[in-house]
């Protein structure tokens, strides 16, 4: 089974930021067939570091679009928006680039160029075609088909790849590498552990849990949460986003309602709040409680006590 996965993924060639066919990318299995339910989870990396965005990257008309401000600031560029002109201005190291909503024509240092697809607004965020945008700022763009990631290289120093602990299952290591956040300050980083699902549905099922906390350019913290069934054939995988609220001895993650980035094995209609407390001088975490809303029904809060330990990576 793994040989088939490696053969197919090895055949992917990064020739452009276009959508891959379903058969060419599938990180999870059902009856030895590589598959996914709602599209590969796209991510963005700048010089090797994961970029947290509150609006997910997406592929439109065969081109990859990214939320402009988050990616621009990760590239050390400054951004301004003129709503009356629908104009996005980007500046970096003497380069000036101007994009207009709905227009394929854009300008770099006064020179007109044509984008592959016009910028647009999604959930209050400006989405730009990444290849045109990054190249306008003198950066290189690669498509990592194996991990469904847009990799941008600015010429700056590259991030150090994480050392993945040996107790993380081999078929989940790529996901940890994909979303990995280095521990730059207290409450920012990557953690992993296990917990026993104690909800009325599927009670007693063991889950691997990974979560990644980033600090965005605006100072807000952003979480990606991955829950993986350790027991179901082919596994069940859910990746969702959440918002962080800091506390004196830890933080809580409020899962975004229906904020699923990816799912395999079915989707549910609940969200929840997870409370974590810092351990070992802030290095590790203890999950002490989980409040869930609306599991398979009306949004009635249900609280479950936990005592689950999570180790930090890095």
């Amino acid at each position: 089974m793994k040989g088939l996965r490696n053969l197919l993924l090895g055949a992917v060639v990064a020739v452009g930021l276009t959508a891959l066919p379903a058969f060419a990318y599938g990180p999870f299995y059902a009856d030895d067939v590589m598959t996914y339910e709602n599209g590969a989870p796209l991510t963005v990396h700048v010089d090797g570091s994961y970029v947290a965005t509150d609006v997910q990257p997406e592929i439109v008309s065969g081109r990859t679009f990214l939320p402009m401000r988050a990616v621009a600031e990760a590239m050390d560029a400054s951004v301004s928006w003129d709503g009356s002109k629908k104009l996005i201005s980007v500046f970096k190291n003497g380069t000036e680039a101007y994009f207009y909503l709905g227009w394929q024509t854009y300008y770099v240092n006064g020179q007109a160029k044509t984008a592959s697809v016009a910028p647009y607004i999604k959930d209050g965020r400006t989405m730009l075609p990444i290849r045109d945008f990054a190249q306008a700022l003198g950066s290189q763009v690669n498509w990592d088909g194996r991990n469904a990631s847009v990799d941008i290289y600015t010429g700056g120093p590259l991030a150090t790849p994480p050392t993945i602990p040996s107790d993380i299952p081999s078929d989940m290591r790529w996901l940890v590498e994909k979303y990995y956040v280095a521990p730059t300050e207290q409450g920012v980083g990557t953690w992993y552990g296990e917990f026993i699902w104690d909800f009325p549905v599927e009670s007693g099922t063991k889950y691997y849990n990974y979560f990644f906390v980033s600090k965005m350019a605006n100072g807000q913290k952003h979480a990606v949460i991955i829950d993986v069934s350790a027991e179901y054939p082919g596994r069940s995988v859910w990746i969702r986003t959440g918002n962080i609220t800091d506390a004196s001895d830890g933080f809580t993650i409020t899962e975004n309602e229906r904020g699923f980035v990816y799912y395999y094995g079915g989707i549910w209609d609940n969200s929840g709040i997870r409370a974590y407390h810092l351990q070992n001088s802030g290095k590790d975490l203890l999950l002490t409680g989980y409040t869930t809303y609306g599991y398979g029904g009306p949004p009635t809060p249900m609280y479950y006590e936990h005592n689950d330990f999570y180790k930090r990576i890095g």
Side-chain angles (χ1 to χ4, degrees):
M1 180 173 68
K2 290 184 179 178
L4 172 63
R5 177 182 189 272
N6 293 335
L7 177 63
L8 289 177
L9 292 178
V12 175
V13 180
V15 295
L17 299 183
T18 56
L20 292 177
F23 65 80
Y25 183 88
F28 307 109
Y29 298 93
D31 298 326
D32 289 342
V33 177
M34 292 169 35
T35 185
Y36 54 80
E37 291 188 22
N38 67 328
L42 299 178
T43 49
V44 185
H45 292 80
V46 172
D47 294 329
S49 294
Y50 167 72
V51 178
T53 59
D54 52 6
V55 175
Q56 290 301 308
E58 61 183 7
I59 294 176
V60 177
S61 300
R63 294 293 181 266
T64 303
F65 279 75
L66 306 178
M68 172 268 301
R69 184 174 295 277
V71 177
E73 291 176 345
M75 297 170 64
D76 292 326
S78 58
V79 181
S80 65
W81 161 251
D82 186 333
S84 62
K85 297 179 180 178
K86 298 184 178 180
L87 169 65
I88 307 108
S89 303
V90 185
F91 307 94
K92 182 181 179 181
N93 296 338
T95 297
E96 301 180 1
Y98 300 94
F99 297 82
Y100 292 85
L101 287 183
W103 287 22
Q104 288 181 253
T105 300
Y106 65 100
Y107 299 87
V108 179
N109 292 336
Q111 182 178 357
K113 297 180 179 291
T114 303
S116 52
V117 187
Y120 60 91
I121 295 288
K122 177 185 177 183
D123 297 335
R125 296 290 183 263
T126 303
M127 306 292 285
L128 293 180
I130 186 54
R131 183 174 294 280
D132 301 314
F133 172 69
Q135 290 180 345
L137 297 181
S139 296
Q140 178 186 350
V141 185
N142 292 333
W143 167 245
D144 178 358
R146 185 178 189 274
N147 295 312
S149 176
V150 177
D151 295 338
I152 301 172
Y153 298 98
T154 67
L158 297 179
T160 302
T163 299
I164 306 300
S166 59
D167 55 345
I168 291 180
S170 60
D171 58 346
M172 296 306 301
R173 298 168 75 87
W174 72 278
L175 267 180
V176 176
E177 293 172 350
K178 179 180 177 68
Y179 287 100
Y180 175 75
V181 177
T184 56
E185 63 179 73
Q186 182 168 288
V188 171
T190 300
W191 290 267
Y192 73 104
E194 300 177 358
F195 71 93
I196 302 298
W197 192 267
D198 50 9
F199 299 167
V201 181
E202 303 170 7
S203 179
T205 300
K206 184 171 82 170
Y207 274 78
Y208 299 114
N209 182 221
Y210 310 87
F211 62 99
F212 313 81
V213 179
S214 304
K215 190 172 184 178
M216 298 188 291
N218 61 7
Q220 295 180 344
K221 290 183 178 179
H222 178 273
V224 173
I225 308 124
I226 303 178
D227 296 319
V228 184
S229 168
E231 301 174 21
Y232 286 172
R235 297 208 170 158
S236 298
V237 179
W238 295 273
I239 304 176
R240 67 197 315 177
T241 59
N243 300 316
I244 300 292
T245 302
D246 285 319
S248 59
D249 61 346
F251 55 84
T252 60
I253 299 178
T254 302
E255 299 167 353
N256 294 327
E257 185 176 359
R258 293 188 174 276
F260 287 94
V261 178
Y262 176 92
Y263 58 86
Y264 175 81
I267 192 170
W268 66 77
D269 59 356
N270 76 309
S271 57
I273 300 175
R274 310 184 190 205
Y276 297 92
H277 293 266
L278 296 167
Q279 304 282 306
N280 299 333
S281 300
K283 182 177 180 181
D284 300 316
L285 292 171
L286 188 70
L287 173 65
T288 57
Y290 182 75
T291 303
T292 184
Y293 299 86
Y295 189 93
T300 301
M302 295 183 291
Y303 177 76
Y304 299 88
E305 290 187 0
H306 280 258
N307 190 36
D308 301 319
F309 184 73
Y310 291 84
K311 295 181 287 186
R312 195 183 71 190
I313 301 175

